[in-house]
């Protein structure tokens, strides 16, 4: 499995996106790179007895501009906005819907030691994402500005989130860089991530 390392910040309005972009320009001393627009549709699955949730495992089926894949993520450690977790991704070529992608995953029986044959979708996250790839001297970071809509049964909730992910380079330098971004922008770490918010919505803890 690979290790995913990222920082998250809470955004309460689009102006917070502008604060982060301004902080990036200040820290790099140059203009922003070209932006990439992604339309992402995530469906999160678990077994009927919530066996994955009990193990702090997340199973996601993602569609990004028509391409499907499944991703397994272990328990996230969130410390002052820094999130670290292990993950494994499986491309699901040939799928045209989330249901087809789930069927392809379930047909494996088990994957990465997880019982995937009984998976069913619990909630969905629609994400309009703006991505900036930030090339440093010996590293690459990816800044994502997310506008999401969460759906869990009849419940819906919108939220904004900012993520900075380490794609290549030393983790120590990345953490220092991210902390400087937080200081310059004045933005704080979120209390809950998109997935944690969606889980609470699904369980009825958010009305």
């Amino acid at each position: 499995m690979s290790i995913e390392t990222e920082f998250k910040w809470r955004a309460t309005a689009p102006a917070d996106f502008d604060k982060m972009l301004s902080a990036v320009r200040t820290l790099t001393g140059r203009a922003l790179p070209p932006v990439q627009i992604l339309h992402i549709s995530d469906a999160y699955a678990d077994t009927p007895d919530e066996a994955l949730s009990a193990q702090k495992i997340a199973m996601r089926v993602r569609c990004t501009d028509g391409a499907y894949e499944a991703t397994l993520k272990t328990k996230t450690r969130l410390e002052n906005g820094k999130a670290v977790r292990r993950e494994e991704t499986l491309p699901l070529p040939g799928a045209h819907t989330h249901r087809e992608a789930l069927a392809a995953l379930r047909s494996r029986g088990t994957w990465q030691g997880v019982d995937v044959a009984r998976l069913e979708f619990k909630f969905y996250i629609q994400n309009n994402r703006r991505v900036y790839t930030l090339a440093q001297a010996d590293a690459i970071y990816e800044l994502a500005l997310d506008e999401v809509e969460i759906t869990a049964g009849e419940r819906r909730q919108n939220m904004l989130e900012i993520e900075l992910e380490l794609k290549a380079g030393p983790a120590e330098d990345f953490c220092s860089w991210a902390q400087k971004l937080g200081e310059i922008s004045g933005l704080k770490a979120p209390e809950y991530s998109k997935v944690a918010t969606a889980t609470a919505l699904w369980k009825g803890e958010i009305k």
Side-chain angles (χ1 to χ4, degrees):
M1 286 190 178
S2 62
I3 301 296
E4 180 185 56
T5 302
E6 61 183 19
F7 272 78
K8 296 176 181 287
W9 292 271
R10 181 174 65 248
T12 58
D16 289 334
F17 288 167
D18 295 333
K19 292 178 183 178
M20 179 55 69
L21 294 178
S22 177
V24 170
R25 288 191 293 268
T26 298
L27 195 54
T28 63
R30 55 182 183 266
L32 294 169
V35 63
Q36 181 183 15
I37 306 297
L38 299 177
H39 302 288
I40 302 170
S41 179
D42 291 335
Y44 281 78
D46 203 341
T47 58
D49 56 358
E50 301 180 25
L52 300 190
S53 296
Q55 301 174 67
K56 305 300 183 182
I57 292 174
M59 184 69 73
R60 180 188 72 198
V61 174
R62 166 168 288 184
C63 175
T64 304
D65 294 328
Y68 286 84
E69 64 182 18
T71 300
L72 178 151
K73 298 192 178 191
T74 61
K75 180 180 179 180
T76 300
R77 301 196 310 275
L78 187 61
E79 301 174 356
N80 297 320
K82 177 186 176 185
V84 178
R85 58 195 164 203
R86 302 184 69 182
E87 69 174 31
E88 184 69 37
T89 297
L90 173 70
L92 297 171
H96 298 92
T97 66
H98 278 92
R99 290 294 174 185
E100 290 182 3
L102 181 62
L105 179 61
R106 293 176 63 174
S107 68
R108 289 176 168 263
T110 60
W111 177 54
Q112 297 296 322
V114 174
D115 175 15
V116 296
R118 299 186 300 126
L119 291 178
E120 57 185 33
F121 289 138
K122 300 298 184 180
F123 54 80
Y124 300 81
I125 300 176
Q126 302 291 331
N127 187 357
N128 291 319
R129 169 172 284 185
R130 284 187 282 160
V131 179
Y132 297 87
T133 300
L134 309 174
Q136 301 303 104
D138 58 350
I140 298 176
Y141 308 151
E142 185 178 273
L143 177 68
L145 309 180
D146 293 341
E147 299 181 58
V148 306
E149 180 184 57
I150 301 168
T151 303
E154 297 299 318
R155 303 185 183 97
R156 294 178 182 272
Q157 181 160 320
N158 296 321
M159 68 177 291
L160 306 176
E161 188 178 68
I162 301 170
E163 295 182 356
L164 183 73
E165 182 177 353
L166 174 63
K167 306 302 288 187
E172 296 80 5
D173 294 346
F174 170 72
C175 293
S176 176
W177 207 83
Q179 288 168 355
K180 290 177 182 177
L181 272 186
E183 292 170 1
I184 295 171
S185 68
L187 299 176
K188 305 300 182 182
E191 294 183 16
Y192 302 101
S193 67
K194 294 187 293 288
V195 175
T197 300
T199 300
L201 192 67
W202 171 54
K203 291 184 176 181
E205 297 169 357
I206 299 176
K207 303 299 183 180

